[in-house]
């Protein structure tokens, strides 16, 4: 067989052999490749949703942000904590939940579960039924200016050890946090940053 014939055969067979090899490899790796591609799609969607939620937060709460740079950092932090936020449960107590829609939307887009309660009674019922990781509460509900403080005291009496964060219309920095409340803030970026800290530090 001449050299020319050998070269011609190799030239004809090689592309077919490479194609068959690629098909076999792709077929063999079809399941892990499929899972990886699905994960990438989910990350992209989650990133877009987080970006939109953060944009709404900045636009709607511009006058209440403590530090715009902190708000920008929330998206990256929430994305990094995605695995920890998937089963992270937040009890949000406020008789006017429409006032904190953008904050709750951000947390939900980050993967957390946000449970709404309109009263102390409803909140205590949720604490007894569900595995709550953190409590966010207002101070005043239904004309009762001590509602948030009373909730914190009742939760501790019931043996609930979750951190309790107070999100209020106005926070006086000269006054310390009431008993059993670890943060009092009127800054949405500060509140969300603390929630992410708790998710990060929560034992698996």
């Amino acid at each position: 067989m001449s050299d020319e014939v050998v070269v011609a055969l190799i030239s004809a067979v090689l592309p077919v052999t490479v194609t068959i090899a690629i098909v076999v490899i792709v077929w063999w790796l079809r399941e892990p490749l499929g899972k990886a591609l699905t994960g990438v799609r989910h990350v992209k969607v989650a990133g877009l949703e987080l970006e939109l939620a953060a944009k709404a937060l900045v636009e709607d709460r511009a006058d209440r942000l403590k530090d715009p740079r902190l708000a920008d950092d929330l998206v990256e932090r929430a994305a990094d904590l995605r695995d920890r936020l998937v089963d992270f449960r937040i009890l949000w107590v406020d008789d006017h939940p429409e006032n904190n829609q953008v904050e709750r939307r951000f947390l939900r887009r980050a993967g957390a579960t946000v449970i709404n309660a309109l009263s102390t009674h409803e909140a205590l019922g949720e604490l007894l039924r569900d595995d709550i990781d953190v409590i966010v509460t207002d101070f005043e509900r239904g004309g009762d200016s001590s509602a948030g403080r009373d909730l914190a005291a009742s939760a501790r009496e019931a043996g609930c050890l979750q951190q309790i964060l107070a999100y209020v219309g106005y926070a006086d920095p000269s006054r310390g946090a009431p008993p059993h409340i670890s943060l009092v803030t009127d800054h949405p970026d500060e509140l969300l940053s603390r929630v992410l800290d708790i998710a990060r530090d929560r034992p698996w």
Side-chain angles (χ1 to χ4, degrees), residues 32-171:
L33 283 173
K35 290 178 181 178
L37 290 173
T38 300
V40 168
R41 286 196 297 271
H42 287 170
V43 167
K44 287 183 177 178
V45 170
L48 176 60
E49 291 177 344
L50 274 173
E51 289 284 355
L52 292 175
K55 182 179 179 182
L57 179 73
V58 171
E59 290 176 351
D60 294 353
R61 301 288 189 262
D63 59 333
R64 297 186 61 187
L65 295 177
K66 184 175 184 178
D67 184 349
R69 291 171 300 178
L70 186 60
D72 291 340
D73 185 53
L74 289 173
V75 173
E76 184 176 349
R77 291 192 60 207
D80 289 342
L81 292 169
R82 184 76 180 181
D83 290 344
R84 284 185 168 268
L85 288 167
V86 167
D87 61 348
F88 190 74
R89 299 173 66 81
I90 303 159
L91 176 61
W92 199 301
V93 192
D94 195 315
D95 56 346
H96 291 285
E98 68 276 7
N99 291 340
N100 44 64
Q101 282 185 350
V102 293
E103 293 88 345
R104 289 182 288 115
R105 184 185 304 125
F106 178 87
L107 290 167
R108 286 181 171 128
R109 294 296 182 270
T113 298
V114 182
I115 301 164
N116 298 324
L118 302 179
S119 67
T120 295
H121 177 75
E122 186 179 348
L124 291 173
E126 293 290 350
L127 284 171
L128 293 175
R129 284 193 300 270
D130 289 305
D131 185 13
I132 301 297
D133 293 294
V134 63
I135 303 166
V136 178
T137 183
D138 54 1
F139 270 166
E140 181 174 343
R141 288 192 294 278
D144 181 0
S145 61
S146 65
R149 298 172 181 83
D150 292 343
L151 168 63
S154 297
R156 286 296 181 266
E157 288 176 6
C160 301
L161 302 179
Q162 300 92 337
Q163 285 197 49
I164 302 174
L165 314 177
Y167 187 44
V168 299
Y170 171 72

